[in-house]
Amino acid sequence: MSEASAVPTVLVVAVALIDPDGRVLIARRPEGKQLAGMWEFPGGKVEPGERPEQALIRELKEELGIDVNEACLAPFVFASHAYENFHLLMPLYLCRRWSGVVTAKEHDGLAWVKPSKLSDYPMPPADEPLIAWLRDLL
Ligand code: 523
């Protein structure tokens, strides 16, 4: 008989917003939050009853003040990482089109970064393996 996992798996959706120069948006987690000071691909938890894409569209409005059409979200690659209290499963979507001005509403910093420079920024351990995929793509 297989043993049940001691920690829950949490589904978080994240996005690589890509600008016309091929730079990717990362956002710094503010003081008081878990992983404060780390530069993440923006996103958040999928709430009960939400589809992942709906959750991401909601998070992008709340966190960055932008509107994204679901047709502009392309699932790209998953992160799967064991944090201490939970296992994070996180699809990273690609998005090249949105409306509105990207604004830090919940983060304390934003940066548009070439994939080759992403490793200069401290990122949550779940996000780090995604850098190589973006470097290959862009
Ligand atoms: N990550 C993560 N990388 C990443 C995101 C968006 C989130 O490792 N790109 C982690 C950070 C948190 C967890 O996933 O541990 C949930 O993310 P989020 O942004 O919803 O976290 P909090 O701190 O806002 O959580 P609540 O306040 O509980 O909603």
Side-chain angles (χ1 to χ4, degrees):
M1 202 173 69
S2 62
E3 244 179 72
S5 166
V7 296
T9 295
V10 174
L11 179 61
V12 169
V13 282
V15 73
L17 288 184
I18 303 166
D19 78 2
D21 298 326
R23 296 177 307 170
V24 174
L25 184 78
I26 51 175
R28 193 170 53 200
R29 295 180 65 84
E31 284 311 315
K33 281 209 171 192
Q34 205 180 5
L35 300 166
M38 303 269 111
W39 291 85
E40 68 180 8
F41 297 108
K45 289 182 193 125
V46 177
E47 304 292 349
E50 263 184 332
R51 286 184 300 106
E53 291 79 10
Q54 276 179 326
L56 187 52
I57 289 167
R58 173 183 53 73
E59 291 282 356
L60 289 174
K61 187 71 177 177
E62 289 170 6
E63 292 188 349
L64 301 174
I66 58 171
D67 292 296
V68 174
N69 189 308
E70 189 165 338
C72 298
L73 291 174
F76 177 52
V77 65
F78 277 84
S80 178
H81 183 81
Y83 283 120
E84 205 177 312
N85 304 329
F86 65 99
H87 193 100
L88 180 85
L89 186 64
M90 186 173 77
L92 181 75
Y93 289 75
L94 304 179
C95 178
R96 295 176 187 270
R97 296 184 62 181
W98 58 88
S99 56
V101 178
V102 173
T103 311
K105 292 178 173 289
E106 295 183 0
H107 293 89
D108 70 1
L110 297 177
W112 290 96
V113 182
K114 286 273 183 201
S116 59
K117 298 281 179 201
L118 281 172
S119 49
D120 294 351
Y121 293 77
M123 294 186 98
D127 296 51
E128 268 173 14
L130 304 174
I131 297 173
W133 291 94
L134 288 171
R135 223 185 277 136
D136 286 350
L137 176 83
L138 296 170

